[in-house]
Amino acid sequence: MMQNVHLAPETDEDDLYSGYNDYNPTYDTEELENDTAFQQAVRTSHGRRPPDGVTRPMTAVRAAGFTKAALRGSAFDPLGQSRGPAPPLEAKNEDSPEEKIRQLEKKVNELVEESCIANSCGDLKLALEKAKDAGRKERILVRQREQVTTPENINLDLTYSVLLNLASQYSANEMYAEALTTFQVIVKNKMFSNAGRLKVNMGNIYLKQRNYSKAIKFYRMALDQIPSVHKEMRIKIMQNIGVTFIKTGQYSDAINSFEHIMSMAPNLKAGFNLILSYFAVGDRDKMKKAFQKLIAVPLEIDEDDKYISPSDDPHTNLVIEAIKNDRLRQMERERKAMAEKYIMTAAKLIAPVIETSFAVGYDWCVEVVKASQYVELANDLEINKAITYLRQKDFNQAVETLKMFEKKDSRVKSAAATNLSFLYYLENEFAQASSYADLAVNSDRYNPSALTNKGNTVFANGDYEKAAEFYKEALRNDSSCTEALYNIGLTYKRLNRLDEALDCFLKLHTILRNSAQVLYQIANVYELMEDPHQAIEWLMQLISVVPTDSRALSKLGELYDSEGDKSQAFQYYYESYRYFPSNIEVIEWLGAYYIDTQFCEKAIQYFERASLIQPTQVKWQLMVASCFRRSGNYQKALDTYKDIHRKFPENVECLRFLVRLCTDIGLKEVQEYATKLKRLEKMKEIREQRIKSGRDGSEGPRSRREGSASSDSGQNCSASSKGERLSAKLRALPGTNEPYESSSNKEIDASYVDPLGPQIERPKTAAKKRIDEDDFADEELGDDLLPE
């Protein structure tokens, strides 16, 4: 090979630029076609032969796919594709133990996932069933693995996840004993690493069971097993320990826990709980310091300026618009709202006790807040100060505090004016209320509370259409303004647009599911729409929410009475009477019911109570006497009539019954009562004639009815039929001909004095004769007045 190597000629002087035009002919590719050695090497392995004297190793060319047939013109097919498709893969043996284990393991994982998903969807029962099923299949899986492989190959992670999920589902379903047992299985198994931290879960269960000593024990055990590098978890456990100490009343221990947290990693919950603990022990100075620590807790959220576009760049504006209400922004809002809630609650809690008066305490809190990152809360605290004045019934101070905001920014001014409008509305000063409502609306046109108050002032003036417009605008600004929705329903009801009113109240019912006011309004609208069945259904829902509401119960009784179901009506009227035994209408109905059912003795207690509630109404005492008479207790009836006559000496009905009873019993006082009766009837007749003559000859249609009240009221009484409601007025009492209606003081004016002087007394014989002929032979009295 040396003949191919060309050496540069030696020269006496070294030429730096020599040799650049010389090249090795080996790299001359242009002459390869004429190079015999190269052509021979291409056709054979001659070019790979070692130099002479060295034995060439044997090689094989067949394995590369080159055959003689290929040289004879056959197609080049090194991969053997011309031989057809490859044979199918060998099918899995599904009956093999390994394959069964894999399938079962997959099924267990699916059940655990389904259990977790069901829990997140709120279906706790299904989640527990899936967790139990996963536990059963996992135990079968462990047994099968032990038969096929060694115990070291058991999937511990799967076992851990199955047991942990099962314990969590037991706890979610409040099956605490089972949950604790399952957690114990995990904790006691030394093969599970980091299982000790599950003692926190066990502590939480004991806390729910109010076993506070064990809860603290398990929290501390968990705290000992968690290394210090997990700082955040240790802080959370210490916070649980502090809360448990508060529940047990060990405030000093709780203070130690929260003070440690606030020194290591201050957060809002710990700061608020620290204030609660100091409030419980009554340490004013520490309350102030704790409040300052709470104010100083960093929020760790971006400023609002980040979401304001600094330029007109469309790309920047799109980005800001996208992040303005994303999940991170929502989380920041929630965190800020939570901080404001804690600070406001803490200020309202400690303000009355940290200084000599609550006003001075509020002022201190306001000053601290003004110097913090929550400066906008200072105005809200001032408004809360005014509300506190309201709760203390100090309206003047509340008004003065709110009027301080009239010259501040529009948002605060609108809030203060809204409260002032509400105050004046409560005091029925509608002009002032309207004025401040206008101020609130002008300061903040999008304030739904201000618009609602303005609508209220217009509603009070009777302009229902305009009031509805204000309520609608409030709803457009805030669709969750339930006050406006409720008020617009009332407005439609006043306008007799019952379908629209019902629609409003039904929408409100979807928002406030258990609102007694909403349920009552729906029932009332159905009653106005003459649909008593729907009204009864909604009232039944109402009494399930407020079972002691006497008005709702009496309304149910009224509806059942109108439907003719007296037994159901009696049940609800009686329940109403039990909760509020001073409702005259209910008392009257119950008394009438017992008279209708011929139990006059039971009616007496109701009419006696009515006479105690309305001692100036003679009709209740007359009914008591009538019940005694109808039940056969004539002596008691006579005593009662005499007592009534002493209290109401000019009551005609009482004298009539006295005369009747004395006659039947044969008492000597009959002449005295008869004389008084005729004198009163004569005075009544003269008075009616003068009233009639004073009307210039116009007939008085009531005079004849008043003069014969006993017959009129007697004719109106009849046995009640199905569907007839027991009237609240006594003239409609079933089965009686007693003249209760004419016993009111309006018909017999006891204070009337005849200007012509007292009438000449008639001879007793004439009076006796008149009584026999006119009164007791009068067919209008009816035979049922006679004692049986």
Side-chain angles (χ1 to χ4, degrees):
M1 298 296 292
M2 293 298 294
Q3 67 270 17
N4 293 329
V5 179
H6 300 273
L7 300 177
E10 296 182 357
T11 58
D12 296 336
E13 297 181 356
D14 292 334
D15 186 2
L16 296 176
Y17 299 99
S18 63
Y20 283 102
N21 294 326
D22 299 333
Y23 64 94
N24 192 331
T26 304
Y27 301 111
D28 186 6
T29 58
E30 294 179 357
E31 298 295 329
L32 287 178
E33 293 181 358
N34 301 322
D35 190 336
T36 306
F38 178 76
Q39 293 296 329
Q40 182 66 23
V42 169
R43 285 193 297 270
T44 67
S45 61
H46 176 78
R48 294 197 301 274
R49 289 180 181 177
D52 295 340
V54 180
T55 305
R56 174 183 178 276
M58 295 181 67
T59 60
V61 295
R62 187 173 180 81
F66 298 100
T67 61
K68 293 181 179 180
L71 299 175
R72 295 173 185 170
S74 62
F76 179 72
D77 187 14
L79 300 179
Q81 296 179 0
S82 61
R83 291 176 297 188
L89 296 174
E90 184 179 354
K92 289 184 180 180
N93 186 5
E94 295 184 357
D95 294 332
S96 66
E98 292 82 2
E99 183 62 26
K100 287 182 178 179
I101 288 173
R102 280 194 294 270
Q103 292 297 326
L104 189 56
E105 186 172 326
K106 181 180 179 182
K107 181 62 177 176
V108 171
N109 279 308
E110 289 176 354
L111 286 171
V112 172
E113 290 179 5
E114 291 171 3
S115 174
C116 295
I117 293 171
N119 182 283
S120 64
C121 296
D123 194 346
L124 302 181
K125 186 176 180 181
L126 177 62
L128 179 60
E129 291 176 358
K130 295 285 186 182
K132 287 180 178 179
D133 196 12
R136 286 190 292 268
K137 284 185 168 52
E138 194 273 335
R139 286 193 293 273
I140 297 173
L141 175 63
V142 169
R143 286 196 294 270
Q144 291 184 2
R145 278 187 181 277
E146 289 175 347
Q147 295 173 0
V148 175
T149 62
T150 59
E152 291 77 10
N153 294 330
I154 294 175
N155 191 343
L156 289 176
D157 291 339
L158 181 61
T159 305
Y160 181 87
S161 63
V162 168
L163 289 174
L164 177 59
N165 179 60
L166 180 59
S168 301
Q169 301 307 334
Y170 275 135
S171 179
N173 284 272
E174 299 183 358
M175 300 171 67
Y176 298 130
E178 293 84 350
L180 288 171
T181 303
T182 311
F183 277 126
Q184 285 285 6
V185 172
I186 303 175
V187 171
K188 289 182 178 180
N189 194 331
K190 302 298 182 182
M191 300 178 68
F192 295 138
S193 60
N194 300 322
R197 66 184 58 188
L198 293 181
K199 291 181 179 178
V200 176
N201 300 49
M202 300 176 72
N204 291 339
I205 292 176
Y206 283 122
L207 184 64
K208 291 177 182 178
Q209 292 180 325
R210 299 187 178 182
N211 192 344
Y212 300 126
S213 59
K214 276 200 171 183
I216 293 172
K217 175 184 175 181
F218 276 85
Y219 286 144
R220 285 177 169 169
M221 290 168 64
L223 196 62
D224 293 339
Q225 295 186 13
I226 293 176
S228 57
V229 292
H230 298 293
K231 180 180 176 182
E232 186 175 350
M233 180 174 288
R234 291 178 63 87
I235 290 294
K236 289 180 178 180
I237 295 174
M238 291 186 67
Q239 191 155 309
N240 284 7
I241 293 173
V243 171
T244 311
F245 277 132
I246 289 179
K247 288 184 175 291
T248 59
Q250 299 173 257
Y251 299 113
S252 57
D253 294 326
I255 288 170
N256 292 335
S257 296
F258 293 128
E259 283 284 10
H260 179 74
I261 294 171
M262 293 301 288
S263 63
M264 298 294 295
N267 62 77
L268 294 168
K269 289 184 178 179
F272 182 73
N273 287 331
L274 183 61
I275 292 174
L276 290 180
S277 302
Y278 281 129
F279 177 81
V281 298
D283 194 332
R284 294 185 178 183
D285 295 333
K286 293 291 181 66
M287 273 187 267
K288 288 183 176 181
K289 291 179 181 178
F291 186 75
Q292 290 171 332
K293 287 181 181 178
L294 178 64
I295 291 286
V297 172
L299 274 179
E300 299 178 354
I301 62 175
D302 294 324
E303 298 294 333
D304 291 338
D305 296 341
K306 172 184 175 181
Y307 302 98
I308 300 175
S309 177
S311 63
D312 294 333
D313 182 15
H315 178 72
T316 305
N317 292 338
L318 284 174
V319 172
I320 291 175
E321 190 66 28
I323 66 174
K324 188 178 292 183
N325 198 33
D326 61 357
R327 295 290 297 274
L328 177 62
R329 178 60 173 158
Q330 292 174 9
M331 186 187 73
E332 290 176 345
R333 286 201 193 101
E334 290 173 2
R335 183 174 178 81
K336 186 175 181 181
M338 183 180 69
E340 292 177 351
K341 177 184 177 182
Y342 282 141
I343 293 169
M344 291 290 291
T345 306
K348 288 188 286 185
L349 179 68
I350 68 173
V353 297
I354 57 176
E355 297 292 347
T356 55
S357 68
F358 96 92
V360 179
Y362 254 108
D363 292 339
W364 181 86
C365 293
V366 168
E367 292 303 320
V368 173
V369 170
K370 282 182 178 178
S372 70
Q373 57 184 324
Y374 305 100
V375 62
E376 67 274 7
L377 281 182
N379 292 325
D380 295 332
L381 275 174
E382 289 280 6
I383 291 178
N384 269 287
K385 180 181 175 182
I387 294 173
T388 307
Y389 277 126
L390 283 178
R391 291 197 179 101
Q392 296 179 352
K393 309 298 183 184
D394 193 346
F395 296 104
N396 295 330
Q397 284 289 345
V399 171
E400 288 180 12
T401 306
L402 290 171
K403 285 184 176 180
M404 293 166 53
F405 294 95
E406 291 185 10
K407 295 182 180 179
K408 294 196 175 183
D409 64 89
S410 58
R411 185 187 69 85
V412 180
K413 185 194 298 182
S414 178
T418 300
N419 284 290
L420 283 169
S421 173
F422 173 69
L423 274 176
Y424 285 119
Y425 183 85
L426 291 180
E427 295 179 348
N428 292 329
E429 297 183 21
F430 298 126
Q432 286 276 40
S434 180
S435 174
Y436 279 104
D438 289 334
L439 177 62
V441 171
N442 293 334
S443 301
D444 184 3
R445 187 71 189 180
Y446 300 99
N447 184 351
S449 300
L451 292 164
T452 302
N453 277 359
K454 180 59 181 176
N456 291 345
T457 59
V458 176
F459 184 96
N461 292 326
D463 192 349
Y464 303 123
E465 292 286 355
K466 192 173 181 181
E469 292 301 321
F470 281 109
Y471 296 142
K472 288 177 183 177
E473 187 174 355
L475 284 172
R476 284 194 293 270
N477 293 336
D478 183 6
S479 59
S480 64
C481 184
T482 54
E483 294 85 357
L485 187 57
Y486 183 85
N487 290 350
I488 199 172
L490 294 179
T491 306
Y492 285 143
K493 200 166 77 166
R494 287 292 181 92
L495 293 170
N496 203 31
R497 291 156 63 176
L498 299 179
D499 290 331
E500 294 173 81
L502 182 62
D503 184 52
C504 291
F505 290 127
L506 289 174
K507 286 180 181 176
L508 196 56
H509 177 62
T510 60
I511 302 171
L512 307 173
R513 300 295 300 180
N514 294 321
S515 172
Q517 292 87 349
V518 175
L519 291 170
Y520 178 80
Q521 291 298 337
I522 294 173
N524 183 244
V525 172
Y526 274 121
E527 184 185 3
L528 294 174
M529 297 171 72
E530 298 181 355
D531 189 347
H533 296 290
Q534 282 290 340
I536 289 172
E537 181 180 337
W538 285 95
L539 282 173
M540 294 295 288
Q541 292 187 42
L542 173 60
I543 63 172
S544 69
V545 176
V546 280
T548 60
D549 190 327
S550 61
R551 185 176 179 184
L553 291 167
S554 64
K555 177 58 71 173
L556 264 174
E558 180 183 337
L559 289 172
Y560 275 118
D561 188 20
S562 65
E563 290 295 293
D565 192 342
K566 302 296 185 198
S567 60
Q568 283 283 61
F570 171 75
Q571 176 186 343
Y572 289 108
Y573 269 124
Y574 183 74
E575 287 294 310
S576 176
Y577 174 78
R578 283 182 57 233
Y579 292 117
F580 184 59
S582 300
N583 188 329
I584 288 294
E585 292 183 358
V586 173
I587 292 171
E588 198 166 6
W589 191 95
L590 287 170
Y593 174 81
Y594 279 120
I595 291 176
D596 182 37
T597 54
Q598 305 299 321
F599 290 101
C600 298
E601 300 88 348
K602 292 185 177 181
I604 292 173
Q605 61 173 325
Y606 297 104
F607 295 135
E608 284 179 342
R609 179 172 289 275
S611 66
L612 292 175
I613 297 170
Q614 294 181 343
T616 60
Q617 292 290 324
V618 69
K619 64 179 180 179
W620 307 121
Q621 300 178 47
L622 285 172
M623 293 189 70
V624 172
S626 176
C627 288
F628 281 125
R629 181 177 60 79
R630 293 178 62 121
S631 61
N633 194 344
Y634 300 113
Q635 186 59 46
K636 192 69 175 175
L638 181 62
D639 295 339
T640 306
Y641 280 126
K642 286 181 178 180
D643 186 57
I644 296 171
H645 180 63
R646 282 193 297 271
K647 295 176 181 177
F648 304 94
E650 297 191 6
N651 185 269
V652 177
E653 286 76 14
C654 180
L655 283 171
R656 285 177 179 169
F657 285 116
L658 277 172
V659 171
R660 185 62 172 265
L661 277 175
C662 290
T663 302
D664 293 340
I665 299 174
L667 298 179
K668 296 179 179 179
E669 295 100 324
V670 64
Q671 290 289 359
E672 178 187 351
Y673 294 134
T675 303
K676 291 180 180 180
L677 176 61
K678 295 310 169 187
R679 183 168 65 247
L680 286 176
E681 287 179 342
K682 185 63 178 178
M683 290 172 62
K684 184 178 178 181
E685 184 180 349
I686 293 172
R687 184 165 60 249
E688 289 174 354
Q689 289 176 357
R690 288 180 178 176
I691 293 172
K692 184 177 179 180
S693 62
R695 294 176 180 171
D696 297 328
S698 62
E699 292 188 5
R702 295 182 58 193
S703 60
R704 175 56 60 186
R705 184 170 69 250
E706 291 173 352
S708 59
S710 61
S711 62
D712 288 347
S713 60
Q715 294 296 322
N716 288 335
C717 300
S718 61
S720 59
S721 59
K722 184 176 180 180
E724 177 187 358
R725 180 179 177 274
L726 291 175
S727 174
K729 294 187 177 181
L730 301 179
R731 68 175 178 218
L733 288 176
T736 178
N737 295 323
E738 297 164 3
Y740 296 130
E741 180 63 19
S742 61
S743 63
S744 64
N745 291 335
K746 182 178 179 181
E747 296 174 351
I748 300 176
D749 188 1
S751 62
Y752 175 76
V753 178
D754 193 340
L756 300 178
Q759 191 176 2
I760 300 174
E761 186 176 352
R762 294 176 179 269
K764 292 183 178 181
T765 55
K768 179 69 176 177
K769 183 179 179 181
R770 185 176 180 86
I771 290 172
D772 292 338
E773 293 178 358
D774 296 343
D775 282 348
F776 300 106
D778 193 344
E779 61 182 293
E780 293 180 349
L781 291 176
D783 294 335
D784 64 328
L785 291 178
L786 296 174
E788 297 176 358

